[in-house]
Amino acid sequence: MTSIDIGLIVTGLLLIMVLIGVRVAFAAALAGLTGLIWIFWSKKGYDPNQFFWALEVAAKTAGQVPHSKVSSQALSLIPTFILIGYLAYYAGLTKALFEAAKRWVGWLPGGMGVATVFATAGFAAVSGASVATSAVFARIAIPEMLKIGYDKRFAAGVVAAGGTLASLIPPSAILVIYAIIVEQDVGALLLAGFLPGAVSALIYGGLVVLMATFNKKLGPPVKGYSWGERFKSLPPAFPIFFVVIIIICFIYNPFGGDAWGTPTEGGAIGAFVIFVMALIHGMRWPQFKDALMETGKLAVMIFTIIWGVLIFVRFLGFADLPGAFSDWIVTLEQNPMITLIMILLAYAILGMFMDAIGMLLLTLPVVFPAVMALNGGMDVTAADSAFGMSGWGCAIWFGIIVVKMAELCLITPPIGLNCFVVAGVRSDISVQDVFRGASPFFVADAITIAVLIAFPGIVLWLPSLLLG
């Protein structure tokens, strides 16, 4: 039995464990350790006397993963980005964003829903976690929408879908994870997420308006705000943009010369600025403790998934499954774009059974090299490539598209995490109602992905402009 055969069998074992409900982190770690033992033992001809040697080598190999990978400086971005989001909630910035959006776009059909989408997009610019965004706006936006007669399914679905924007709009924890897995520049990926995130928010808002226009019972407009009241709502929301500017300046110096610091330092300073604002707005020790606890819980969950999955990734390297998959993809006699679309459809199906971070961690070590080979490799020029972009451009472009696919699984039954979070915050709305309310946004996500595939310049223009 070859290492490729072992790789395929152990991968099948992993999928079975995930489907029967084993947590991704533990399923991946167990499958990875089992696969390492199998491969090392096979090299000794399955000699019974060598089994414990194989076990020892496999354990040492797996044990090196947590420290060597998680000690990466780039991963320190994740807890700081998450903390920014929770502190922004206690600083009152989320309410200020929602109030400003409500006054400016509330007059549209489904205007409060549109305001929620735009406010979640603004909050996503200082929060790296979709779950935190959904939890915060389930407390703020849903009561306001229900108060004026919104359909509760529709209101819950808007919040769950709007929360997914935090996966794409920087600072995004998932974009950081993607950058680390595929060894690409974190700053370039964070910059690349801004315009696609804005496009996605606009398409979400357009869908809300369209639905409310054809079914007026979903959400009535909110009228009566004067221009003075609208402009008065803007200053309390400005701190959000101030923090965004700080983070961007640490990724890229807009005044020329070297960057002011690393993205990690930018995230830490952003968290400090939001912390000071929260103190000014009345945050005290109980609220600060809650913010730290929620940040710790979410960060530990993400890091645990990373630890477990990277053990499986180490096994894939020994099995040479990524190389074999890349070779097979390149030999397919069909248009490369069709192959890419098939890969994205596979992500849509896989997202029904796995969380976004686990799905990316498990698949990217195999899928990313295949997509790059399909385009012509990392060193290919735009003129010689399959997708009309250089190797660097393809790595950034595919990252944004695959993260957008990961957003989809946050509202996809049966384990769409954002939907469970909204239902958990709002005991009067069942998780089934949240899933039903979020289902129309699948169409919006499909349109967004199609736009990003057809017009890759939306993804690449900003990082190319600022980073060269």
Side-chain angles (χ1 to χ4, degrees):
M1 184 176 291
T2 66
S3 60
I4 298 295
D5 295 329
I6 296 173
L8 292 173
I9 293 172
V10 174
T11 300
L13 173 65
L14 169 62
L15 292 176
I16 291 172
M17 286 192 288
V18 170
L19 289 175
I20 64 176
V22 180
R23 297 284 184 181
V24 171
F26 305 118
L30 180 60
L33 181 60
T34 302
L36 288 170
I37 295 171
W38 192 348
I39 281 185
F40 291 138
W41 195 26
S42 69
K43 293 180 179 180
K44 297 295 183 179
Y46 300 107
D47 182 351
N49 296 323
Q50 297 296 322
F51 175 78
F52 287 102
W53 170 86
L55 176 62
E56 180 182 358
V57 175
K60 289 180 178 178
T61 303
Q64 295 171 356
V65 171
H67 177 266
S68 63
K69 295 295 184 180
V70 180
S71 60
S72 168
Q73 185 189 35
L75 276 177
S76 60
L77 279 169
I78 294 175
T80 57
F81 285 173
I82 295 172
L83 180 61
I84 287 174
Y86 281 109
L87 290 176
Y89 171 69
Y90 289 111
L93 296 181
T94 49
K95 288 184 179 179
L97 272 173
F98 181 70
E99 184 63 27
K102 180 177 72 174
R103 294 186 184 187
W104 281 90
V105 300
W107 56 273
L108 293 167
M112 287 277 276
V114 179
T116 300
V117 169
F118 289 169
T120 54
F123 183 69
V126 293
S127 172
S130 294
V131 173
T133 304
S134 296
V136 165
F137 280 90
R139 296 183 177 98
I140 294 173
I142 291 180
E144 293 287 333
M145 287 190 277
L146 295 183
K147 190 186 300 182
I148 64 171
Y150 267 62
D151 179 84
K152 67 177 183 179
R153 291 181 182 176
F154 182 61
V158 168
V159 170
T164 67
L165 295 172
S167 295
L168 199 58
I169 298 176
S172 165
I174 294 184
L175 280 176
V176 173
I177 292 170
Y178 173 88
I180 292 170
I181 297 171
V182 304
E183 299 180 348
Q184 294 297 314
D185 180 54
V186 174
L189 276 157
L190 292 177
L191 286 174
F194 275 107
L195 287 182
V199 169
S200 185
L202 289 172
I203 292 175
Y204 276 0
L207 177 65
V208 170
V209 171
L210 192 65
M211 292 175 64
T213 299
F214 284 97
N215 186 354
K216 299 186 184 301
K217 294 181 180 179
L218 290 179
V222 179
K223 299 180 180 179
Y225 290 109
S226 67
W227 284 104
E229 289 173 319
R230 289 172 180 168
F231 282 108
K232 189 177 179 179
S233 69
L234 294 179
F238 282 160
I240 288 284
F241 303 101
F242 178 61
V243 174
V244 172
I245 291 171
I246 289 176
I247 295 174
I248 291 177
C249 287
F250 272 82
I251 296 173
Y252 166 78
N253 184 355
F255 305 104
D258 295 334
W260 294 358
T262 65
T264 300
E265 292 166 343
I269 292 179
F272 176 74
V273 171
I274 292 290
F275 171 69
V276 172
M277 291 178 183
L279 289 179
I280 294 172
H281 284 79
M283 183 185 72
R284 295 297 178 261
W285 170 246
Q287 292 83 16
F288 182 53
K289 184 179 74 172
D290 288 343
L292 292 177
M293 290 297 294
E294 293 299 323
T295 299
K297 290 176 184 177
L298 193 52
V300 167
M301 181 191 77
I302 292 173
F303 275 63
T304 302
I305 294 172
I306 293 173
W307 288 337
V309 172
L310 286 180
I311 293 173
F312 181 75
V313 170
R314 182 66 61 90
F315 155 69
L316 290 179
F318 278 98
D320 196 30
L321 206 57
F325 185 70
S326 298
D327 294 340
W328 175 71
I329 285 289
V330 172
T331 59
L332 291 176
E333 295 182 358
Q334 61 184 17
N335 190 304
M337 189 58 70
I338 295 177
T339 304
L340 176 66
I341 292 173
M342 291 173 62
I343 291 173
L344 296 179
L345 289 175
Y347 270 112
I349 296 171
L350 195 59
M352 296 180 183
F353 307 101
M354 298 180 67
D355 64 274
I357 295 174
M359 181 177 69
L360 293 186
L361 283 166
L362 282 175
T363 58
L364 283 175
V366 175
V367 172
F368 177 76
V371 172
M372 295 306 296
L374 199 62
N375 188 53
M378 277 302 301
D379 298 325
V380 71
T381 63
D384 299 327
S385 65
F387 299 133
M389 63 193 78
S390 66
W392 173 85
C394 183
I396 302 298
W397 173 68
F398 179 68
I400 297 300
I401 291 175
V402 81
V403 167
K404 184 61 187 175
M405 291 301 304
E407 285 185 7
L408 185 61
C409 78
L410 291 170
I411 54 173
T412 304
I415 63 166
L417 195 56
N418 279 17
C419 294
F420 280 99
V421 168
V422 172
V425 172
R426 298 289 308 185
S427 58
D428 57 325
I429 304 176
S430 69
V431 68
Q432 291 84 359
D433 284 338
V434 184
F435 276 122
R436 291 191 185 101
S439 58
F441 291 91
F442 299 161
V443 177
D445 284 335
I447 294 172
T448 302
I449 292 167
V451 169
L452 298 180
I453 290 175
F455 304 100
I458 296 173
V459 175
L460 299 177
W461 177 75
L462 193 57
S464 297
L465 177 68
L466 299 182
L467 300 178

